[in-house]
Amino acid sequence: FHSADQFADLLLIQNQDPDLIGNGNTPVKYDGKEIQRWGIIPPGSTETVIETFSSVGSFTIVGGSGSNESTTTLDGNSIKVTASATTMTIDRTGLTPFAVDTTIPNRAQISVYIPRGQIFNLSQGTANPPITVRVGQDTTANYYQFNFDRGVLFEGWNNLPLDFSAPSSTVGAPNANALTAFRVTITSASGILL
């Protein structure tokens, strides 16, 4: 289905796929003559996808289990994980080295879906944040860490920005020009499905 809105003499049109959360074409504008791309995405701003989350076999999951997910996705691919312990880690190593500019905020993000009713199972502690993301050459000695407390999370899709200009902490000496691994840690009061 499509939605539209009027701005001065322009009609802005966008479609959304109700069966694929977050999926829709780039907004377009109609000026009475022709429909053109709307300038939401300026030239050169298209993101580079580092991990599509299309295969659970690419991940090492400790404290839980995972499967490929094709029903509830943000962009067509995701994995679903279920915790069997109060702390679960999801590791992805061996990525093609990628770089981030540490002087510009929010140069990366990871998307996490929290099903209805599950947010209350997340940890509330600041010592053990409910979601922690590590990005570096490895996830044990040289990485940037980003903590997300329960106050910034909500049910549904959470786009978690990774601000390399001000990470929650830095361990070792991660090379921002050759990042190859990340780890997502979920801490819960009881098992949680993400």
Side-chain angles (χ1 to χ4, degrees):
F1 63 93
H2 287 74
S3 60
D5 198 2
Q6 186 85 27
F7 178 72
D9 59 345
L10 297 177
L11 179 67
L12 311 180
I13 307 166
Q14 185 178 25
N15 80 328
Q16 290 293 320
D17 182 347
D19 298 320
L20 198 58
I21 297 170
N23 187 52
N25 289 339
T26 302
V28 296
K29 63 181 177 180
Y30 178 60
D31 61 7
K33 289 184 171 184
E34 62 180 328
I35 293 180
Q36 304 168 351
R37 284 177 59 92
W38 178 239
I40 296 295
I41 302 177
S45 71
T46 303
E47 68 276 359
T48 300
V49 177
I50 301 299
E51 170 57 54
T52 63
F53 293 85
S54 60
S55 174
V56 73
S58 300
F59 297 86
T60 301
I61 301 171
V62 176
S65 60
S67 63
N68 294 335
E69 174 60 63
S70 59
T71 304
T72 307
T73 65
L74 182 64
D75 62 359
N77 296 301
S78 69
I79 62 169
K80 178 170 53 176
V81 294
T82 304
S84 58
T86 55
T87 300
M88 175 175 57
T89 60
I90 304 146
D91 281 311
R92 177 69 165 93
T93 58
L95 295 168
T96 300
F98 65 98
V100 294
D101 187 333
T102 59
T103 64
I104 301 174
N106 302 339
R107 295 304 289 170
Q109 83 171 18
I110 190 166
S111 300
V112 175
Y113 182 81
I114 300 175
R116 180 172 290 178
Q118 293 295 317
I119 197 163
F120 301 108
N121 291 334
L122 287 171
S123 167
Q124 295 185 59
T126 54
N128 295 306
I131 297 179
T132 299
V133 179
R134 295 178 178 179
V135 182
Q137 282 69 50
D138 56 68
T139 58
T140 57
N142 298 289
Y143 59 86
Y144 299 96
Q145 181 163 307
F146 308 91
N147 299 332
F148 300 94
D149 63 40
R150 204 164 95 173
V152 301
L153 303 171
F154 50 87
E155 294 177 341
W157 281 107
N158 293 266
N159 292 321
L160 306 177
L162 306 180
D163 187 352
F164 287 86
S165 68
S168 301
S169 61
T170 301
V171 173
N175 181 355
N177 295 313
L179 303 170
T180 58
F182 70 86
R183 169 183 285 180
V184 178
T185 301
I186 309 294
T187 306
S188 58
S190 58
I192 185 172
L193 173 69
L194 295 176

